[in-house]
Amino acid sequence: MKFWTYILLFLFMITSCSGSSSSQNLTWYKNSVITNVAEDPEKPEEFMRVSIGISPQIFFLSKKSADYKALLEKASLSHKKGTAYDIGIENNTNIIKQVNEIR
């Protein structure tokens, strides 16, 4: 009986640790509209500054990110047309990692 308990505990630990760490490291802003997109005045070569919501919260798009152009395009569309998106912000950095259409 003890043997099976250890086996089950081991399997549980393996499956609980093997999740997608990228989605766990994001804070999601659901149904959010981007109110402003501009170059960051402090580091214009590295970041675009993005404001989200009526009482704007400031986040950043990294120009060095592999999907920078796609994220910037969605951010600009949201800003110009008022399109709402689900926006994933990396924890502890305030960097936008995902901009998804609402399902």
Side-chain angles (χ1 to χ4, degrees):
M1 183 68 180
K2 234 182 199 184
F3 174 75
W4 290 110
T5 304
Y6 287 121
I7 294 293
L8 287 173
L9 180 63
F10 178 73
L11 290 174
F12 175 74
M13 290 181 69
I14 288 175
T15 57
S16 67
C17 294
S18 65
S20 169
S21 63
S22 63
S23 66
Q24 293 173 352
N25 195 25
L26 297 179
T27 300
W28 287 95
Y29 289 79
K30 303 280 187 175
N31 285 334
S32 297
V33 175
I34 293 174
T35 55
N36 193 20
V37 178
E39 282 194 347
D40 182 32
E42 296 172 12
K43 295 184 179 181
E45 66 283 348
E46 289 185 40
F47 297 108
M48 292 294 287
R49 186 177 283 192
V50 176
S51 304
I52 298 175
I54 296 171
S55 299
Q57 294 178 301
I58 305 298
F59 299 102
F60 301 95
L61 280 176
S62 173
K63 291 183 177 181
K64 296 177 181 177
S65 173
D67 49 356
Y68 167 72
K69 288 190 180 203
L71 294 174
L72 181 61
E73 184 178 321
K74 288 182 181 178
S76 297
L77 184 66
S78 178
H79 173 61
K80 291 176 185 172
K81 295 190 175 185
T83 308
Y85 287 100
D86 291 338
I87 303 169
I89 310 295
E90 185 177 41
N91 294 336
N92 301 321
T93 65
N94 286 346
I95 295 176
I96 297 171
K97 292 292 186 179
Q98 292 184 27
V99 178
N100 299 335
E101 293 185 15
I102 299 171
R103 297 180 187 164

